[in-house]
Amino acid sequence: MANVLLFFFVAFVVLLFLDPHVEGSRLSLTHVDSAAQLTSAERFRRAARRSHSRRQAFEGKWSSPSTVVAVVDYAGDTEYVIDFGIGSPVLPATAILDTGSDLIWTQCVPCLDCLSQPSPFYDPSKSYTFSPVPCSSPFCSNRTSIDNGCGGDRCLYLASYGDGSESIGFLGTETFIFGDGSSIAGVTFGCGFQNNGSLSNSTGIVGMGRGLLSLPSQLNPRKFSYCLTPLNSSTASHLFLGSTASLGGNRGALIGSTPLISSPLAYFSTFYYLSLLGISLGGNRLPIPASVFQLKPDGSGGTFIDSGTFLTSLNQAGYDILREEIIKQVRKPAAELPEVIQDMGVDLCFSFHGASSLPPMPELVFHFEGADMRFPRDKYMAYVDDLGLLCSVIIGTQDSSIFGNYQQQNMHILFDMEADVLSFVPANCNQL
């Protein structure tokens, strides 16, 4: 506890004597299961179940695009949280990181209906760097990811989530302080005084989507990167904001770049869509029509990258072809799936219970516009040791494809929102 207090005292001193707007920050990302004493199989199952719930929330949003709903199925159903300070004097906060939504918000005094959290509630009346957002602000007219309007002299918001969870409050601007001593002044965020649902023992959510209210959209320059350590690693993952977001430190590795595609519908403008052209396995291009993964003029379909979804899901027409090819490569029938596997949304496993080794499998390649992503067996198949099952970590879905974080582990990924480009390079994220 003394170390935590010392950190925030130092951050407060930095805030007083340095330029309050630093263009770059480096943060640690903590996996939501990092503190739990779990086996590797238990970690996999918990992450896969969260992924299944989150994918169902996405599908609910696609089925009713006229409804303004943030995409997280349960506000706590995501994978990573970040620690930071807010206000002056500095108050510690721990928030869920979410590339599938835009609004940054934290629970605030006066709390009419709030969830339990590990630190005191933020009180804007006690921070001399807080300012309310006026109704004339363009942030107050943004309705792509939240519903908002004016109440008296306050810009009010309503953020609704797929399970019925909500945050109601008002928008303001504040200074955010990060663990590397940097700070960003004038961040527009939500001060939630009526909240329900689940926050995974955090204080709120940091939206990292493409919308006006997200944290990346408020950076200068507007870019960020992250490097996710493996699921069972004891080392934290890393998030880089603004000018610190760069792939230049990955010497000798080939950097790939592909365009970021925008949805034609404002309701889906949060997501980072990519142009996935096809898939190869073992050097053979699979007979999947390019249209299967393309974003349609009506906003349906497409492929987007999401840090909060564990399992990659492919449009069913493409997945069925890949699934058939994986079965050919393993050269044994698919196993009957126990209920615990079915609950994760996984539908392809092979029994290797008692086997001394797992079969070699060829490289999987995702062909994006301008770049290829290459994956060895252990990036698309996972061994659930307590069940003796080798399972695909790619699953099928009825609409948009989602590139999940299992394939993103040990890959440094850069989102450049000014150039509309996503770049990536293999990396040892434990050592970054």
Side-chain angles (χ1 to χ4, degrees):
M1 183 64 182
N3 290 337
V4 174
L5 292 175
L6 178 61
F7 159 71
F8 285 107
F9 173 74
V10 171
F12 179 53
V13 173
V14 169
L15 178 64
L16 286 177
F17 293 102
L18 295 184
D19 181 351
H21 185 271
V22 177
E23 292 186 346
S25 304
R26 172 181 173 137
L27 297 81
S28 293
L29 295 178
T30 303
H31 193 272
V32 293
D33 288 333
S34 62
Q37 300 298 313
L38 301 171
T39 66
S40 59
E42 288 170 335
R43 288 180 187 274
F44 178 84
R45 283 196 289 268
R46 285 168 62 91
R49 282 195 294 267
R50 286 191 298 267
S51 181
H52 185 51
S53 295
R54 186 173 173 90
R55 181 169 60 89
Q56 289 178 323
F58 281 125
E59 291 175 346
K61 183 180 176 77
W62 297 322
S63 66
S64 55
S66 61
T67 304
V68 179
V69 178
V71 299
V72 184
D73 184 38
Y74 295 91
D77 268 355
T78 189
E79 297 297 296
Y80 297 95
V81 296
I82 58 173
D83 294 323
F84 59 96
I86 181 172
S88 309
V90 183
L91 188 74
T94 300
I96 294 167
L97 187 83
D98 182 28
T99 55
S101 64
D102 294 328
L103 181 66
I104 309 163
W105 66 269
T106 190
Q107 300 194 110
C108 292
V109 174
C111 250
L112 304 181
D113 185 10
C114 287
L115 304 164
S116 62
Q117 64 178 47
S119 57
F121 293 110
Y122 167 78
D123 186 346
S125 68
K126 295 183 178 179
S127 173
Y128 61 79
T129 47
F130 171 81
S131 294
V133 168
C135 291
S136 59
S137 167
F139 290 104
C140 199
S141 60
N142 176 64
R143 292 177 178 270
T144 58
S145 56
I146 62 170
D147 194 12
N148 45 354
C150 280
D153 59 347
R154 294 290 178 98
C155 178
L156 303 178
Y157 76 86
L158 164 62
S160 301
Y161 294 81
D163 66 336
S165 299
E166 292 181 340
S167 175
I168 300 173
F170 53 87
L171 296 182
T173 62
E174 186 55 284
T175 297
F176 282 49
I177 303 94
F178 302 112
D180 62 353
S182 63
S183 65
I184 303 177
V187 176
T188 298
F189 76 111
C191 206
F193 53 76
Q194 187 168 335
N195 315 293
N196 61 67
S198 171
L199 285 176
S200 293
N201 199 36
S202 70
T203 63
I205 293 177
V206 173
M208 298 292 290
R210 301 182 74 179
L212 184 67
L213 287 163
S214 75
L215 180 58
S217 293
Q218 300 185 57
L219 297 175
N220 181 24
R222 294 187 303 119
K223 62 178 182 176
F224 69 98
S225 69
Y226 54 69
C227 201
L228 306 179
T229 56
L231 182 64
N232 295 311
S233 174
S234 59
T235 306
S237 299
H238 305 289
L239 173 68
F240 304 88
L241 302 176
S243 60
T244 63
S246 169
L247 305 185
N250 299 278
R251 297 178 180 177
L254 181 63
I255 297 175
S257 295
T258 186
L260 288 169
I261 308 299
S262 297
S263 171
L265 291 185
Y267 300 110
F268 302 143
S269 62
T270 293
F271 306 135
Y272 295 95
Y273 284 96
L274 306 174
S275 182
L276 178 59
L277 304 178
I279 297 174
S280 294
L281 187 62
N284 298 318
R285 186 74 170 248
L286 301 182
I288 304 173
S291 59
V292 168
F293 302 124
Q294 286 180 352
L295 187 61
K296 308 297 191 297
D298 65 358
S300 64
T303 303
F304 63 89
I305 183 170
D306 182 42
S307 66
T309 301
F310 182 61
L311 301 178
T312 290
S313 57
L314 296 176
N315 182 277
Q316 199 70 44
Y319 171 71
D320 288 342
I321 296 172
L322 175 61
R323 185 181 189 275
E324 182 180 344
E325 188 63 26
I326 290 175
I327 293 173
K328 290 179 182 178
Q329 295 288 343
V330 176
R331 297 180 180 179
K332 66 182 303 182
E336 185 175 342
L337 301 180
E339 186 175 348
V340 66
I341 293 293
Q342 295 181 45
D343 288 345
M344 300 185 304
V346 173
D347 74 346
L348 179 61
C349 295
F350 304 92
S351 177
F352 284 93
H353 189 74
S356 58
S357 63
L358 298 175
M361 294 184 67
E363 182 180 63
L364 175 70
V365 181
F366 280 15
H367 302 287
F368 293 100
E369 181 181 343
D372 291 340
M373 278 191 184
R374 301 178 179 275
F375 310 106
R377 180 197 65 193
D378 293 342
K379 278 292 193 77
Y380 64 95
M381 304 292 293
Y383 186 60
V384 187
D385 52 9
D386 61 343
L387 298 176
L389 293 175
L390 180 66
C391 298
S392 170
V393 293
I394 300 175
I395 59 178
T397 186
Q398 294 302 317
D399 203 282
S400 296
S401 302
I402 305 172
F403 183 57
N405 71 50
Y406 192 90
Q407 274 77 36
Q408 298 177 51
Q409 293 170 18
N410 273 341
M411 186 180 294
H412 195 177
I413 300 178
L414 171 65
F415 298 72
D416 188 333
M417 298 170 67
E418 296 183 346
D420 282 332
V421 170
L422 180 132
S423 300
F424 55 89
V425 63
N428 188 339
C429 296
N430 287 312
Q431 299 178 4
L432 197 63

